[in-house]
Amino acid sequence: MHLVPVLPLMPHETLVSWTARIARYHANMSSHYFLSLIQLSRQDVVDGTEYGVTRLADLTGVPEARIEKCCIRREGDRNLSHRGECFSSLFMCRTQVSYCPQCLLEDRDTEGASLGMRVGRLSWMFRTVRACHRHGCEVLRRPRENFSEQFQDMEIVAPEDWALKQQVPAAGAMMHSELQEYVERRLAGASGPMWLDEQPIDQAAKACEMLGACMEYGAHCDLDRLVPADWHCAGAVGFEATSQGVKGIRAALDQIQRKSAGKYARGGGPQAIFGRLYQWLQFNKGGQDRGPIRHVLREHILDAFPIGPGTRLFGECVTQRRRHSVSSLSRESGLHPKTLSRALVRSGLIQEQEEQDVDPWSTADARQAGILVQKIKHSIPVKQVPKYLNCNRRQAELLVREGILPQLVTSERFHGGVLTNVAIEDIEAFLSKFRRHGREVSAPDQQMIDVITASELVRVPVVDIVRMVLDGQLSNIELLDLENGFRSVLVDPSEVRSAVDRADEQSGLSAREVANELEIFSSGPSQLRKNLDRDGQPFLKAVEIRNSKGKAKHRYAPAEVERFKKRYVKLGDLANERGISAKAMSKRLRENGVSTIVPRNLLNAAFYRRADL
Ligand SMILES: [Zn+2]
């Protein structure tokens, strides 16, 4: 037999509240007496035990499945569950009495759904829910006075109506936050954002609040002094970051890092930078699982701070270092911090600073910094390169100056010191590249000579021949044993000569070719190049080609020669055009005051400017 008429459970009503309303509605007695009468313990209702649910279902005819939706059940000693979500008991306000005074006053409407009886809302029980959706005000909370108040019958635990009315102004305006909305939606079965959904609901909420507190109130804020409104705001700020997943959280951590860096002495490490967030994860005495935020901050710290292997970070041992500071690298390598600072800045591993005043706490990628240290340690001064490479001092210097053998660090401002050394690794790499296009022979062909000898023979700088070899411009290269070093590469001097000529041809006509074309002295083109016309430009423009020794050659583009021929005309050609003798033409020009562009004896021909005619 059921109690009739059925008093339905209101949406989001607690089991305690419903039971209390049944007592008043059907028996006109307080919940405590009613439960004694039906021999159901208060604890069975508070904990929504199976027994309690069955008894209430039998009594009211409301299906068990419906009743279970409003149950908050015990899961072991420390956890609770509600609608399939399991969470720490701390996520709920069981030791506090929570209510919205305006909601309770509205419940008094006898025409309303609650038939004039107060309703305890489930959402008030969750710590993260701090604002009343309906009234845009704070949910009021006070510590419970005794154990029996855990049975939150609003008629008993909340003040009388007249007192509630006085409390309305005290419940300050507070809009619901996105975090609170997330918690309520998730409990109602909705999903997303994913990063939050993948962890227990209480961990998700706590991660938002801790992150948000450090973002909003500073990494070293006093958490004990934050009031509910502060936590509400922190949760909203944190949710904005966490709802974007790891990327959003990393951006938030960057923001905290930037703010902290200015305030706290550098070198204090991640605790100085991330303050409460770091301490919450690092000094987790209870060993509670803090959820995935632990992994995100751990990764962030390893990516940004010089944390050495063996360090215990958030309960886990660091196996591999990712960042080195100038100090940690100096300790590990034995190299002077100043040397390292310069090397790290110059090689681009540390940015932003002037190398003279590099912050010793600046960090660099540990792997790349390690490679750099090895290079520095295995390097030799330029003056030792000739012996290593089997060349002379001048050649070694040129190879370095031309960047074929790179110095550890190249800088115009920086002279001397270990960083001007050349890494053995780079010398070896050069040799192997230098020998790449050659074939090993036991007895070289007769004409084959080493690059240094070829340079003297063909009169081309050594470095230019080295470039030809490296660039694969020569096809005939023979190799002696590697122990001959620089002299192990043999080239064919005639091929070197052709390669030089080919390069010259590609850049234009030689002076001799131009002289033939214009029928002037072979020194004529250089006269036309050096002398300037009225517009300040040479009569004939040339392309200057310098070899690695700085010696210049001049070549003339065919189009430039054509331009010259259009602009200027030779006496003989002019006379032919006009059908008179050269002598008569010359006389006429002289009478008209037209002179040659360059004295006739310099070119072996008289040229006139067509514009003058
Ligand atoms: Zn309300």
Side-chain angles (χ1 to χ4, degrees):
M1 206 181 89
H2 302 142
L3 294 170
V4 284
V6 175
L7 181 71
L9 259 161
M10 304 232 336
H12 313 301
E13 181 175 16
T14 65
L15 192 58
V16 168
S17 167
W18 184 53
T19 311
R21 287 200 301 125
I22 291 169
R24 288 192 182 86
Y25 183 70
H26 288 292
N28 195 26
M29 51 173 67
S30 90
S31 50
H32 294 189
Y33 285 118
F34 178 72
L35 288 173
S36 311
L37 185 73
I38 63 167
Q39 293 183 316
L40 181 61
S41 78
R42 277 183 264 169
Q43 203 62 47
D44 275 316
V45 179
V46 170
D47 292 340
T49 62
E50 273 180 45
Y51 174 74
V53 170
T54 309
R55 281 298 312 275
L56 288 169
D58 287 348
L59 198 66
T60 60
V62 173
E64 284 187 20
R66 171 66 190 93
I67 299 173
E68 270 166 2
K69 280 191 175 171
C70 67
C71 288
I72 293 159
R73 288 204 157 131
R74 282 188 184 280
E75 303 287 340
D77 286 346
R78 294 158 82 176
N79 293 329
L80 300 169
S81 70
H82 174 60
R83 292 189 170 211
E85 297 283 352
C86 185
F87 40 81
S88 153
S89 54
L90 296 173
F91 188 51
M92 300 216 68
C93 297
R94 283 197 150 183
T95 56
Q96 285 175 308
V97 171
S98 312
Y99 57 90
C100 164
Q102 295 192 66
C103 283
L104 293 182
L105 287 170
E106 279 184 9
D107 289 341
R108 283 298 181 223
D109 180 2
T110 47
E111 305 285 306
S114 71
L115 306 173
M117 292 175 283
R118 289 177 176 182
V119 175
R121 271 74 168 177
L122 270 165
S123 64
W124 296 342
M125 306 288 289
F126 291 92
R127 198 170 289 282
T128 312
V129 177
R130 295 189 175 88
C132 172
H133 246 285
R134 199 172 148 74
H135 297 105
C137 65
E138 192 175 339
V139 171
L140 293 184
R141 292 199 164 122
R142 66 160 174 85
R144 71 180 183 204
E145 283 170 4
N146 51 56
F147 184 73
S148 74
E149 276 193 347
Q150 71 157 337
F151 191 87
Q152 294 198 14
D153 176 353
M154 287 299 148
E155 298 286 359
I156 299 170
V157 295
E160 290 180 43
D161 289 356
W162 63 268
L164 279 181
K165 280 177 192 154
Q166 288 181 346
Q167 283 190 337
V168 170
M174 190 188 275
M175 298 312 293
H176 73 276
S177 76
E178 282 196 75
L179 173 60
Q180 163 176 350
E181 201 174 349
Y182 167 75
V183 166
E184 288 169 327
R185 276 194 305 109
R186 179 161 162 181
L187 290 170
S191 61
M194 201 165 66
W195 188 83
L196 293 163
D197 281 355
E198 283 171 354
Q199 53 191 309
I201 191 168
D202 55 330
Q203 279 178 11
K206 188 71 182 168
C208 293
E209 290 179 347
M210 287 301 292
L211 184 67
C214 289
M215 290 170 77
E216 192 66 13
Y217 306 111
H220 293 267
C221 62
D222 186 346
L223 298 180
D224 293 336
R225 296 181 72 167
L226 298 185
V227 297
D230 296 335
W231 282 113
H232 192 66
C233 172
V237 170
F239 179 85
E240 213 180 309
T242 57
S243 61
Q244 295 164 54
V246 173
K247 201 172 141 214
I249 301 168
R250 291 289 292 252
L253 294 174
D254 277 334
Q255 186 194 318
I256 296 173
Q257 198 171 337
R258 276 197 302 277
K259 272 195 195 169
S260 293
K263 266 183 163 174
Y264 301 96
R266 303 187 79 154
Q271 184 169 189
I273 300 297
F274 296 110
R276 304 296 172 218
L277 196 57
Y278 178 93
Q279 290 157 356
W280 176 59
L281 295 165
Q282 180 76 340
F283 311 118
N284 177 9
K285 289 198 186 100
Q288 290 129 319
D289 184 2
R290 305 293 198 203
I293 184 80
R294 185 185 74 93
H295 183 68
V296 180
L297 181 56
R298 195 172 185 278
E299 286 294 299
H300 188 88
I301 287 174
L302 291 177
D303 284 347
F305 292 82
I307 310 287
T311 310
R312 239 186 137 62
L313 183 61
F314 303 165
E316 236 180 292
C317 213
V318 175
T319 52
Q320 200 178 1
R321 173 192 287 280
R322 291 188 205 163
R323 304 292 292 179
H324 252 308
S325 68
V326 172
S327 326
S328 69
L329 191 59
S330 170
R331 268 197 312 277
E332 197 180 286
S333 66
L335 291 170
H336 195 279
K338 268 194 178 159
T339 306
L340 280 174
S341 300
R342 281 199 183 116
L344 290 166
V345 170
R346 290 287 159 170
S347 49
L349 292 180
I350 287 184
Q351 277 143 10
E352 92 230 23
Q353 298 136 335
E354 284 296 312
E355 64 192 39
Q356 293 88 343
D357 40 40
V358 170
D359 188 326
W361 304 107
S362 311
T363 67
D365 179 87
R367 198 183 61 83
Q368 286 178 293
I371 292 171
L372 182 65
V373 163
Q374 287 311 309
K375 269 185 121 172
I376 295 173
K377 287 187 153 182
H378 298 100
S379 65
I380 54 174
V382 175
K383 64 177 186 225
Q384 284 177 25
V385 170
K387 189 164 171 246
Y388 193 93
L389 203 54
N390 190 22
C391 62
N392 66 33
R393 209 196 69 187
R394 175 82 186 127
Q395 287 144 8
E397 281 172 1
L398 276 170
L399 289 172
V400 170
R401 200 182 69 193
E402 293 289 311
I404 293 172
L405 283 181
Q407 283 169 291
L408 289 170
V409 156
T410 39
S411 162
E412 287 162 20
R413 286 191 295 159
F414 183 47
H415 305 285
V418 70
L419 296 182
T420 56
N421 280 4
V422 178
I424 298 286
E425 175 189 318
D426 288 332
I427 301 178
E428 294 295 339
F430 160 70
L431 265 182
S432 115
K433 217 176 140 200
F434 194 37
R435 287 166 60 88
R436 190 176 50 184
H437 297 294
R439 56 187 185 284
E440 292 195 32
V441 292
S442 46
D445 261 9
Q446 200 187 354
Q447 82 279 16
M448 301 303 278
I449 50 178
D450 69 56
V451 167
I452 297 165
T453 317
S455 158
E456 287 154 9
L457 194 73
V458 188
R459 301 192 148 289
V460 175
V462 169
V463 171
D464 291 11
I465 304 180
V466 170
R467 283 236 162 80
M468 287 177 195
V469 174
L470 293 174
D471 295 349
Q473 288 180 40
L474 304 179
S475 59
N476 190 11
I477 298 172
E478 292 185 348
L479 302 176
L480 298 177
D481 198 274
L482 184 59
E483 71 184 21
N484 294 287
F486 191 63
R487 290 175 202 263
S488 71
V489 174
L490 305 182
V491 295
D492 178 347
S494 61
E495 195 186 12
V496 173
R497 163 53 55 206
S498 318
V500 172
D501 290 347
R502 202 164 52 241
D504 285 351
E505 274 163 27
Q506 280 164 1
S507 50
L509 303 168
S510 67
R512 182 174 297 278
E513 286 165 327
V514 175
N516 287 343
E517 168 97 19
L518 298 178
E519 296 174 323
I520 56 176
F521 284 148
S522 57
S523 60
S526 79
Q527 292 296 339
L528 293 172
R529 168 170 63 77
K530 286 177 193 161
N531 286 293
L532 306 182
D533 200 351
R534 289 186 196 125
D535 58 3
Q537 297 294 316
F539 291 108
L540 183 63
K541 284 182 196 161
V543 183
E544 191 178 278
I545 303 161
R546 285 185 183 274
N547 68 17
S548 66
K549 278 185 174 161
K551 199 177 158 214
K553 274 191 214 171
H554 293 95
R555 305 292 288 189
Y556 302 85
E560 174 65 9
V561 177
E562 286 310 307
R563 190 191 68 91
F564 178 85
K565 282 157 78 178
K566 282 206 182 89
R567 229 174 146 171
Y568 310 102
V569 62
K570 209 193 284 181
L571 178 64
D573 296 342
L574 189 60
N576 282 343
E577 280 174 25
R578 307 275 162 108
I580 55 174
S581 73
K583 200 172 172 185
M585 190 72 227
S586 171
K587 184 165 172 265
R588 191 183 295 177
L589 288 165
R590 210 167 38 246
E591 282 165 5
N592 287 329
V594 179
S595 54
T596 57
I597 56 170
V598 174
R600 186 181 187 141
N601 58 345
L602 292 179
L603 301 178
N604 191 30
F607 275 93
Y608 296 91
R609 203 176 280 108
R610 276 196 187 274
D612 291 349
L613 304 176

